[in-house]
Amino acid sequence: MRAQFVLSEIGVGLRRNLTMTFAVIVSVGLSLALFGGSLLMSDQVNQMKGYWYDKVNVSIFLCNKSDAESDPNCAKGAVTTEQKNQIKADLGKMPVVDKVAYESQDQAYKHYKEQFGDSPLASSLTPDQMQESYRIKLKDPEKYQVIASAFNGRAGVQSVQDQKGILDNLFTLLGYLNWAARGVMFVMLVVALLLIVNTVRVSAFSRRRETGIMRLVGASGFYIQAPFIMEAAVAGLIGGTIACSFLVLGQYFVIDNGVALSQKLQLINFVGWDAVLTKLPLILAASFLMPALAAFFALRKYLKV
């Protein structure tokens, strides 16, 4: 009987404050969708780091004849065979080095033509203008400075470049975007909580006569508060379900099918369904508990029981 009464009061409360309930559902849904999206973005960045950091190389570019005339780092002239052999030997002795690959001027020219063949500059380049280089795979990509300090400024070396630095800039940008999304999410959560508190206040005020009678007949505080708390929790749960739907639909229509980014951007290793599905219970739990707790504390102040 008591459960039936609580359920009936929940239905009455939701219908009585339909507009505010709708606002709560929308704000909770959008804020938790952003919350889930930010969690997935963090997973995506971490997955991309693991994928790309494993593939990045450190490149030691060697001086050619053109560099000897124009680059201060190559003031001692183009690299000699002896210098190249010494660089390779030194790399082989370094414990941080996993693999070393040599790229000749002809190979560099071929790779450039493959990647930038349509560029106007490509037609004016010749193989002797390209730089020889050593492509180094490190056991730990974080150890770039070991290579840089050992070879920067050495005779025959034009520069030492770390591809990880380029990726770091990309991941930093993605990190900023993720924090921006979390900032918007936080603002929307605050708005949702304020709406929940206000909705509970209005609902409690509109039913003050009923709650007064219930107090007079000896109803417990929890029994009086339960319908209001459950109203907020149900509205939040509906919003959480909407948020979960956004994530599932986004994964299906944006990543896997429809836009199909996973097929169009094959260089990016997108997070899969396992990452999405693990976020759904967390979102549903938050959508239920957050409004319920907000309503509970609001009732302590606005509903004297």
Side-chain angles (χ1 to χ4, degrees):
M1 183 66 180
R2 289 190 173 188
Q4 184 178 359
F5 169 76
V6 171
L7 292 175
S8 65
E9 286 296 300
I10 292 172
V12 170
L14 291 175
R15 289 194 301 271
R16 185 177 295 179
N17 303 299
L18 191 59
T19 303
M20 297 188 71
T21 299
F22 179 76
V24 169
I25 291 172
V26 171
S27 59
V28 170
L30 291 178
S31 59
L32 290 180
L34 284 172
F35 172 65
S38 67
L39 293 179
L40 289 175
M41 175 66 81
S42 296
D43 289 350
Q44 181 66 63
V45 170
N46 291 332
Q47 184 162 305
M48 288 174 66
K49 282 183 178 179
Y51 179 79
W52 284 108
Y53 280 174
D54 189 53
K55 298 180 181 299
V56 298
N57 293 317
V58 175
S59 298
I60 299 178
F61 291 99
L62 307 178
C63 297
N64 59 23
K65 293 180 180 179
S66 299
D67 294 329
E69 298 173 358
S70 59
D71 195 317
N73 293 333
C74 299
K76 296 180 181 179
V79 66
T80 64
T81 301
E82 182 181 353
Q83 289 170 340
K84 287 190 287 187
N85 292 337
Q86 186 61 50
I87 291 171
K88 185 175 182 180
D90 291 344
L91 286 171
K93 297 175 184 177
M94 302 183 76
V96 298
V97 174
D98 185 20
K99 296 178 183 177
V100 178
Y102 170 74
E103 184 178 72
S104 67
Q105 288 180 307
D106 289 333
Q107 289 172 327
Y109 179 75
K110 180 182 177 182
H111 292 157
Y112 184 88
K113 294 287 284 186
E114 289 173 352
Q115 296 180 32
F116 307 103
D118 297 331
S119 170
L121 184 62
S123 59
S124 62
L125 283 176
T126 58
D128 63 298
Q129 293 176 296
M130 305 302 293
Q131 292 173 310
E132 300 171 86
S133 63
Y134 286 106
R135 310 287 178 164
I136 304 145
K137 177 75 165 54
L138 299 180
K139 295 178 181 178
D140 181 359
E142 302 290 339
K143 301 294 185 181
Y144 155 73
Q145 287 299 333
V146 175
I147 303 296
S149 60
F151 294 96
N152 264 330
R154 179 182 286 201
V157 175
Q158 190 267 338
S159 65
V160 180
Q161 294 184 7
D162 179 23
Q163 294 176 346
K164 178 177 174 292
I166 300 173
L167 293 176
D168 281 342
N169 293 333
L170 171 63
F171 293 140
T172 299
L173 174 61
L174 292 176
Y176 287 148
L177 293 176
N178 193 23
W179 278 109
R182 291 183 182 183
V184 175
M185 173 208 71
F186 177 77
V187 171
M188 294 198 67
L189 278 177
V190 171
V191 171
L193 289 173
L194 292 175
L195 279 171
I196 291 167
V197 170
N198 198 43
T199 302
V200 170
R201 287 180 60 188
V202 172
S203 182
F205 181 79
S206 65
R207 284 184 276 176
R208 63 191 183 281
R209 183 170 177 272
E210 292 94 325
T211 56
I213 294 172
M214 292 171 69
R215 283 199 299 270
L216 290 175
V217 298
S220 66
F222 177 76
Y223 187 67
I224 297 173
Q225 294 180 42
F228 301 100
I229 294 174
M230 291 305 298
E231 283 173 27
V234 169
L237 193 58
I238 295 173
T241 304
I242 293 173
C244 292
S245 300
F246 282 151
L247 295 183
V248 171
L249 292 174
Q251 179 71 21
Y252 184 81
F253 287 108
V254 177
I255 305 300
D256 294 342
N257 302 285
V259 180
L261 290 181
S262 61
Q263 299 174 25
K264 295 178 180 177
L265 301 176
Q266 296 185 5
L267 292 177
I268 299 178
N269 187 23
F270 287 99
V271 294
W273 280 101
D274 54 338
V276 176
L277 295 178
T278 55
K279 305 297 182 294
L280 302 187
L282 178 61
I283 291 174
L284 290 175
S287 69
F288 183 85
L289 293 175
M290 181 186 70
L293 291 173
F296 173 75
F297 288 109
L299 288 170
R300 292 184 63 184
K301 182 176 181 180
Y302 298 110
L303 186 63
K304 305 299 183 182
V305 295

